[in-house]
């Protein structure tokens, strides 16, 4: 039997009511530059991709300098410890845990010793065959210090190096052992690698510094290039390995089964709106989502507002298409972050006021359309609706610029088990009743994909359909797909 979804406090109530991205990665080869500081700023721009831990590894010839810890990038690093990270090349990582718990030992980059020297690795994504990979490596007498799939990739490369292969041969051999989503930056004494899995589920881009000779930068998103003045060159392609050394950048297509399946949630929510994908900012795509939503699901109202920050571009698009004025109805406290201090019971009952506060004089007496990018568990959405009504809204119509999330992700997004996804257990009408809205509508899957202006088949949208492009072992699938397990 499937448990009924509850809005009351439970073991999941402390989790953010949004999908959480796995990580941000960065890499740079730039002799003569302050690579640690450039990496710091790159990670600073990628902070939205993970807020649990951060780390930088630099290579000074054969010597690795590593600093990593729990916390935000600005908390982990300062001028002093950055000064102790000399070198010609670096990689960096900012993490939200998906495989491996949130502990300092699981912070990245991962560093592994090999016969050719040390290797450092930063990973965005999630393997689906971690257990089998670890067992294979343990049978080779390899050792592990953490519980992450990322360490398994690094150890696999090290194991191949120790068999007599060079860095490139070892890396390509190890990637053939990995199944799932992985965008990687890898540092060795010889150079830096940027790698994507054959489906390119997670993004990775290449930039150039305005130096002579040209130096190369890798980042999860183009915003990580912009902050240090690097110019976007191109994406690392699915199934590609780029090898950046003193000779420049070389490209190797290590997999012959490339078939792009970029995570559509990168477009909808994860990536920063100022990051570029396919020649335009994601802000532009999110505007189109809002316009499409207005065409599909209109409502009679006085104002359109967005849930800050991720719902705002779609709200502006909805306003443009509908002709209904856009207004700011909710103010976000951007400095709350994650606090370990529990609020009082009265504060908990007041809902979300620590992070979002309604503007009463904007909302009072108004029929409101509120736009959000997604609904996962629904807990936050219900509190927002209540706050709007308490501020005097006479009607609340909720519109969501993505389809209902009905399936968990296995490729690097931290989503609940299926029974905690409200759209997996309830109809749209039932969700509307629970949220106490006057109407509720989600964007269609076709509308979401058509708005990309790209081939719809080039995206992974498994969280909306259950159609997983990379085969998932049954034991892994059943760990989250509670509905399927209950039906058997």
């Amino acid at each position: 039997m499937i448990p009924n979804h509850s809005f009351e406090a439970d073991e999941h109530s402390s989790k953010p009511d949004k999908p959480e991205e796995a990580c941000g990665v960065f890499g740079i080869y730039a002799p003569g530059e302050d690579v640690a500081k450039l990496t710091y700023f790159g990670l600073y721009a990628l902070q939205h991709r993970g807020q649990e831990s951060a780390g930088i590894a630099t290579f000074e010839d054969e010597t690795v300098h590593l600093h990593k810890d729990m916390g935000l990038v600005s908390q982990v690093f300062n001028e002093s410890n950055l000064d102790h990270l000399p070198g010609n090349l670096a990689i960096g990582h900012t993490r939200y845990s998906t495989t491996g718990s949130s502990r300092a030992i699981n912070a990245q980059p991962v560093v592994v010793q090999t016969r050719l020297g040390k290797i450092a690795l930063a990973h965005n994504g999630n393997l689906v065959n971690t257990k089998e990979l670890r067992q294979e490596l343990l049978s080779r007498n390899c050792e592990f210090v953490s519980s992450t799939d990322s360490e398994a990739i690094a150890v696999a490369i090290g194991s191949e190096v120790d068999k007599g292969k060079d860095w490139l041969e070892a890396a390509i051999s190890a990637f053939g052992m990995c199944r799932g989503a992985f965008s990687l930056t890898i540092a060795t004494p010889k150079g830096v690698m940027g790698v994507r899995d054959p489906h390119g589920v997670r993004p990775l881009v290449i930039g150039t510094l305005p130096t002579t000779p040209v130096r190369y930068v890798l980042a999860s998103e183009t915003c990580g290039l912009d902050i240090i003045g690097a110019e976007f060159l191109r994406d690392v392609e699915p199934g590609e390995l780029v090898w950046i050394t003193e000779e420049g950048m070389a490209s190797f297509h290590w997999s012959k089964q490339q078939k792009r399946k970029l995570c559509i949630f990168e477009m909808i929510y994860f990536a920063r709106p100022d990051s570029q994908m396919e020649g335009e900012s994601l802000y532009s795509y999110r505007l189109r989502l809002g316009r499409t939503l207005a065409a599909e699901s209109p409502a009679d109202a006085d104002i359109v507002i967005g849930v800050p920050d991720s719902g705002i571009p779609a709200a502006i698009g909805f306003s443009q298409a509908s002709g209904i004025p856009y207004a700011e109805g909710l103010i976000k406290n951007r400095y709350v972050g994650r606090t370990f201090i529990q609020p009082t019971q009265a504060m908990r009952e007041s809902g979300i006021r620590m992070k979002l506060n309604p503007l009463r004089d904007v909302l009072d007496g108004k029929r409101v359309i509120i736009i959000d990018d997604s609904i996962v568990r629904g807990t936050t959405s219900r509190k927002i609706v209540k706050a709007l009504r308490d501020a005097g809204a006479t009607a609340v119509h909720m519109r969501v610029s993505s389809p209902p999330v009905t399936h968990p992700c296995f490729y690097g997004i931290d989503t609940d088990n299926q029974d905690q996804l409200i759209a997996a257990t309830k109809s749209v009408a039932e969700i509307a009743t629970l949220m106490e809205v006057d109407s509720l509508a989600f964007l269609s899957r076709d509308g979401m994909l058509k708005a990309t202006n790209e081939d719809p088949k080039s995206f992974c949208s498994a969280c909306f359909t259950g159609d997983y492009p990379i085969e998932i072992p049954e034991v892994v699938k059943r760990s989250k797909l509670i509905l399927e397990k209950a039906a058997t």
Side-chain angles (χ1 to χ4, degrees), residues 271-347:
R272 261 176 41 172
D274 54 328
S275 285
Q276 300 273 323
M277 286 190 182
E278 302 302 322
E280 68 172 1
S281 71
L282 290 175
Y283 180 85
S284 297
Y285 170 64
R286 292 166 190 174
L287 283 177
R288 288 199 298 276
L289 292 179
R291 293 177 189 137
T292 305
L293 186 57
E296 289 184 355
S297 303
D300 190 14
D302 302 306
I303 58 173
V304 179
I305 69 171
V307 177
D309 290 311
S310 55
I312 288 176
I316 293 172
F318 193 105
S319 170
Q320 291 172 344
S322 66
I324 300 170
Y326 170 78
E328 283 196 52
L330 293 165
I331 299 300
K332 182 178 182 180
N333 179 1
R334 291 172 174 80
Y335 305 98
V336 170
R338 294 189 180 188
T339 174
F340 296 100
I341 307 301
Q342 293 298 312
T344 65
Q345 180 62 30
M347 288 174 67

Side-chain angles (χ1 to χ4, degrees), residues 49-108:
R49 298 185 70 88
Q51 297 90 45
E52 290 190 352
S53 65
I56 295 174
T58 63
F59 275 69
E60 187 181 26
D61 297 323
E62 302 291 322
T63 303
V64 180
H65 302 278
L66 175 68
H67 183 77
K68 58 183 180 179
D69 206 345
M70 305 301 291
L72 301 175
V73 174
S74 60
Q75 296 169 327
V76 172
F77 295 101
N78 54 47
E79 292 278 359
S80 176
N81 55 40
L82 286 171
D83 285 342
H84 287 85
L85 296 173
N88 293 326
L89 58 93
I91 64 167
H93 189 266
T94 183
R95 180 171 193 262
Y96 183 93
S97 61
T98 52
T99 297
S101 60
S102 177
R103 295 185 297 147
I105 197 170
N106 288 329
Q108 294 184 38

Side-chain angles (χ1 to χ4, degrees), residues 91-413:
I91 64 167
H93 189 266
T94 183
R95 180 171 193 262
Y96 183 93
S97 61
T98 52
T99 297
S101 60
S102 177
R103 295 185 297 147
I105 197 170
N106 288 329
Q108 294 184 38
V110 175
V111 176
V112 171
Q113 180 70 54
T114 80
R115 70 176 180 86
L116 295 178
K118 290 182 177 177
I119 183 174
L121 178 145
H123 174 206
N124 176 26
N126 206 55
L127 299 188
V128 297
N129 68 326
T130 306
K131 183 177 179 182
E132 296 89 337
L133 180 58
R134 283 176 66 97
Q135 288 174 340
E136 165 62 25
L137 295 170
L138 287 170
S139 73
R140 300 183 186 183
N141 296 317
C142 297
E143 296 181 355
F144 294 87
V145 297
S146 77
S147 59
T148 67
D149 54 347
S150 310
E151 186 187 21
I153 302 172
V155 169
I157 297 172
S159 177
E160 295 299 306
V161 167
D162 292 343
K163 284 183 175 182
K165 297 174 182 174
D166 65 22
W167 290 118
L168 277 174
E169 292 171 330
I172 290 171
S173 180
F175 302 148
M177 301 165 64
C178 300
R179 294 204 315 277
F182 50 96
S183 285
L184 309 169
T185 54
I186 301 169
T188 76
K190 296 295 184 183
V192 173
M193 297 181 199
V195 185
R196 285 177 85 188
D197 68 76
H199 290 85
V201 177
R202 299 280 152 231
L204 189 64
V205 299
I206 308 167
T208 57
L209 288 173
T211 56
T212 305
V214 172
R215 300 303 189 185
Y216 294 92
V217 183
L218 300 162
S220 290
E221 299 175 32
T222 60
C223 64
L225 306 177
D226 297 338
I227 195 171
I228 63 167
E231 183 177 347
F232 171 67
L233 179 64
R234 65 175 178 86
D235 291 342
V236 177
E237 296 174 6
E240 183 185 17
L241 181 159
V242 293
W243 180 223
I244 304 167
T245 64
E246 186 57 35
E247 284 71 47
M249 184 177 72
S251 168
F252 304 88
H253 285 85
W254 63 269
S255 170
K256 296 178 180 176
Q257 281 131 21
Q258 304 105 316
K259 187 178 181 183
R260 194 188 90 154
K261 289 288 184 179
L262 177 68
C263 171
I264 192 67
F265 248 118
E266 292 281 358
M267 307 273 292
I268 294 168
Y269 168 65
F270 290 133
R272 261 176 41 172
D274 54 328
S275 285
Q276 300 273 323
M277 286 190 182
E278 302 302 322
E280 68 172 1
S281 71
L282 290 175
Y283 180 85
S284 297
Y285 170 64
R286 292 166 190 174
L287 283 177
R288 288 199 298 276
L289 292 179
R291 293 177 189 137
T292 305
L293 186 57
E296 289 184 355
S297 303
D300 190 14
D302 302 306
I303 58 173
V304 179
I305 69 171
V307 177
D309 290 311
S310 55
I312 288 176
I316 293 172
F318 193 105
S319 170
Q320 291 172 344
S322 66
I324 300 170
Y326 170 78
E328 283 196 52
L330 293 165
I331 299 300
K332 182 178 182 180
N333 179 1
R334 291 172 174 80
Y335 305 98
V336 170
R338 294 189 180 188
T339 174
F340 296 100
I341 307 301
Q342 293 298 312
T344 65
Q345 180 62 30
M347 288 174 67
R348 280 195 291 271
E349 290 173 356
S350 74
I352 48 134
R353 301 299 174 85
M354 279 181 69
K355 290 189 176 181
L356 293 172
N357 208 28
L359 288 168
R360 180 175 292 275
D361 53 347
V362 173
L363 299 164
D364 193 20
K366 299 290 196 307
R367 298 167 300 164
V368 178
I369 299 172
I370 182 166
I371 312 291
D372 206 352
D373 60 86
S374 59
I375 294 178
V376 178
R377 289 182 293 123
T379 49
T380 298
S381 299
R382 190 188 191 197
K383 291 173 183 177
I384 290 173
V385 171
K386 183 178 185 303
L388 297 179
R389 293 199 186 279
D390 290 346
T394 58
V396 179
H397 302 277
M398 177 161 274
R399 298 292 182 265
V400 185
S401 60
S402 64
V405 176
T406 55
H407 288 73
C409 178
F410 296 91
Y411 307 139
I413 299 173

